Amino acid sequence: MSSIESVLTETRIFAPRDAFRQAATVSGIEGYEALCNAAEQDYAGFWADLARQEIDWQTPFTEILDESNAPFYRWFADGRLNASYNCLDRHLATHAEKIALIFEADDRTVTNITYRKLHQRVCRFANALKTQGIGLGDRVIIYLPMGIEAIVAMQACARIGAIHSVVFGGFSAKSLHERIVDVGARLVITADAGMRGGKAVTLKTAVDEALNQGGCEAVEKVIVYQRTGIDITWNKDRDLWWHEIEAAESDTCEPVWVDAEHPLFILYTSGSTGTPKGVQHSTGGYLLGAIMSMKWVFDHQDSDIFWCTADVGWITGHSYVAYGPLAIGSTQVVFEGIPTYPDAGRFWQMIERHKVSIFYTAPTAIRSLIKLGGDLPTQYDLSSLRLLGTVGEPINPEAWMWYHTVVGQERCPIADTWWQTETGAHMIAPLPGAIDLKPGSCTRPLPGIIMDIVEENGTPIEGTGGGLLVVKKPWPSMIRNIWNNPERFKKSYFPEELKGLYLAGDSAHRDSDGYFWIMGRIDDVLNVSGHRLGTMEIESALVANPLVAEAAIVGRPHDIKGESIVAYVVLKGARPEGESAKAIAAQLRDWVGKEIGPIAKPDEIRFGENLPKTRSGKIMRRLLRSLAKGEEITSDISTLDNPAILEQLKQSAS
Ligand code: PRX
C-alpha cells in the first residue's frame, strides 16, 4: 500500500552522481545490463565464474546447478570449502593487520580487533568447541548479545562444520526452547546478560528456563560468556565459562572442509501458519550471495568502513555482519546498544566517530529517529558517508527524502534492499553506480536474479498490475530446506499452482521502467518494526493463556513501526469492561511477551463476546482489519453470522 502512495507522492528520480558512478564497482546502466545479459546467456556459467573468482575452494567444483531433485536445488555440490577460512584465513597473507571489527559497546567503550586477532579468537573458540565434543553437523544454539563474541561463536561453528542457529536475545525462554528442540541442539552458547540502554538484559536465566522445560536432553553443555558479571544460577554439571574453556586452547585450528551444500546455519523465521520455520542455508551458495551483494549493492571498496545496524539474531546480521563483510575483508562497526541511548543522536555520533562510509539500517529506525530529533544529524560530521541502505520493510518517501537530504546530505545514494531470510542475500536492490533511484522502490533485481510478478495460477502479469512476487530461477544463496520439514518447504515456497516458481509471500507491481514496488505480505505475516511475526503464532500464544477462549490478530498501519499488532480476544468468562478490561489486557500483553518475546506484544487489545464469523465459522479478518483502522464498515456483511459483534469490537481495552 505504502508503495502505491509512494508513486503518488514522490516522483523525482535520483541518478547516480558522476563521481560515484565513475568509481563504482559496476558503473553505469551499461555495466548493470552487461551483467544481466551475461546471466541470461549462460545462467549457470555466470554464477560459476563468480563462485570461482570470489570464493577460495579447497576442492574446486565441477557441477554447477543440480536441478534433478527440484525444488531441492544444489549449487557447486562437489566443491569443498570452509566459510570461516574464506572470512578470515584468506585475508591473513595480505591484510592481517587490517581492523576487522570496531566494536562499540552500549557504554561507548570501543574495542578494535584485527583480522589476525579475530582469526586467533575464532580458532581458540573453535578448539574449545571441539574439546566439548562438538563437530561436523552438530547443531549449536547461539543466544548472545551483539558483540565480538557472537561473531566469534558463529565463525567458530562454521570453522568446524557445526551448524549454528542464532536465536535473537529478545526472544523468550519459550521461543528459545522451541528452537532448541526443533533443531536438536547439542550445545547452547549464551551470556550472563547483554547491555542495552544502560541496563543489563538477562540471557542465562532464559536458557535455564528453556532447558528445564524438557525435550532438550540432547543439550550436554552451556557455554556462558561473562559480559556483565551479574549473578546467575550455575549448574556445575552443565555450565562452562567461555573464558575458562578457551584459556588453554591453541590459537590455530585447521578448518574442516565441507561440501558446498553443507548447512552453514539454520535460522528460524515466522510463516503464516504453525511454529517458526528453520530456514536452512548452504555454505557455498550462501557465501557467494553475501559476497556479491557486498560488492554490487554496497559497492564495497577496500577503504570503506561498513556498518550494518542489525543484530546477528536476524538474517541481516548473518549476511551483512557475520559473513558478508568478513568474506570481503571489510572493516565494520559492530554495535551492542540501541539507537536512542544515551540519546537519539547515537547513530550519527557513531558515524562521525568511526568515519563510517556505508551505513545500513531499517526504515523503522529512520522513522523513529526523525521523530526524536529530525535535525540531530546536522550536529555531527557525517561527511564520511558515501552510501546508505535500508532493509526489512518498505520505506515511505518522506523517510527516504529525510535520509537522503539530512543524513546523506544529497550526496549518498540509498540502496533500498528487498530480500528475505529465505533468500540469504539481496534480491532486488539498486547497484548504486548504475541505477537511477526512485524513493519507495527497491528498483531492479540483481544480476542473475530473475524475478517476476504473476497471478495466483503463475501466469505472468504484463504491464504494471500488482500480483505475487516470485523468483523464476533457483539462485545460489536460496533457502535449501526447512529443517526437518521438507514437505512444508515445498508447500510454502514452491506451491503446485506456481509450477516451479519460488513464492516470496509478498505482493508487488512493476512500473513501466521495470522497477519493482513492494506492496506488502500476501499472507498472515506481520512486519512490525522490520520484524516478521506470524499472526497465528501470537494467536496461539494468547489462546494458551487460561483466561482466553479465542483470539484473532491483525496488523494496523503504524507511522513508525510500519505495522502494529491489534488483538481481538474472547475470554472464557464474561467480557471485561473498564478497569478490569485494562488490567486483563496488561496481563495478556505480558503473557505474550513471555510466550514469544517483547516484540510480539499486542499494541492494543479489544475484548468481545465473540469474533465476527461467517456461518461456516471462519473469522472475517478483513472486517477486523477495518475495525482496527477505525474505518466504518460499508462492505457487505450479509455473510456474517453475528453482525452485532462489530459494535462491541470497536472499543479498545487498552
Ligand atoms: O515483506 C518483505 C519485507 O520483509 C520480508 C522478509 O522478512 P525477513 O525474512 O524477516 O527479512 C528481513 C530482512 C531481509 C519480506 O517478505 N521486506 C524486506 N525488505 C523489504 C521488505 N519490504 C519492502 N521493501 C524492502 N526493502
Side-chain angles (χ1 to χ4, degrees), residues 2-3 267-270 279 310 314-317 320 360 363 390-395 415-426 428-429 440-442 469 502 504-507 517-523 525-527 530-533:
S2 48
S3 54
L267 181 62
Y268 284 82
T269 190
S270 295
V279 173
W314 310 108
I315 190 70
T316 311
Y320 302 109
Y360 188 40
T390 69
V391 56
E393 40 177 334
I395 177 160
D416 175 351
T417 61
W418 179 88
W419 60 297
Q420 311 177 291
T421 306
E422 293 87 343
T423 68
H426 300 155
I428 313 179
S441 166
C442 47
L469 183 64
Y502 167 88
D506 282 2
S507 60
W517 300 79
I518 307 297
M519 295 155 76
R521 297 287 307 188
I522 51 163
D523 49 14
V525 169
L526 304 183
N527 191 330
H531 299 319
R532 218 165 121 172
L533 291 164

Side-chain angles (χ1 to χ4, degrees), residues 82 84-85 87-90 92 113-131 134 148-149 151-160 242 245-256:
N82 180 283
S84 158
Y85 178 90
C87 290
L88 300 168
D89 307 48
R90 67 163 162 173
L92 297 183
I113 173 162
T114 61
Y115 273 91
R116 183 192 308 286
K117 187 84 192 138
L118 184 60
H119 176 257
Q120 287 170 349
R121 289 211 54 187
V122 168
C123 285
R124 194 172 310 135
F125 193 65
N127 285 328
L129 293 178
K130 285 202 292 195
T131 304
I134 300 297
I148 295 171
E149 286 67 26
I151 297 169
V152 168
M154 293 164 83
Q155 287 283 340
C157 287
R159 193 157 191 92
I160 60 171
W242 176 306
I245 57 166
E246 72 167 5
E249 297 290 352
S250 143
D251 57 15
T252 58
C253 170
E254 275 306 299
V256 171

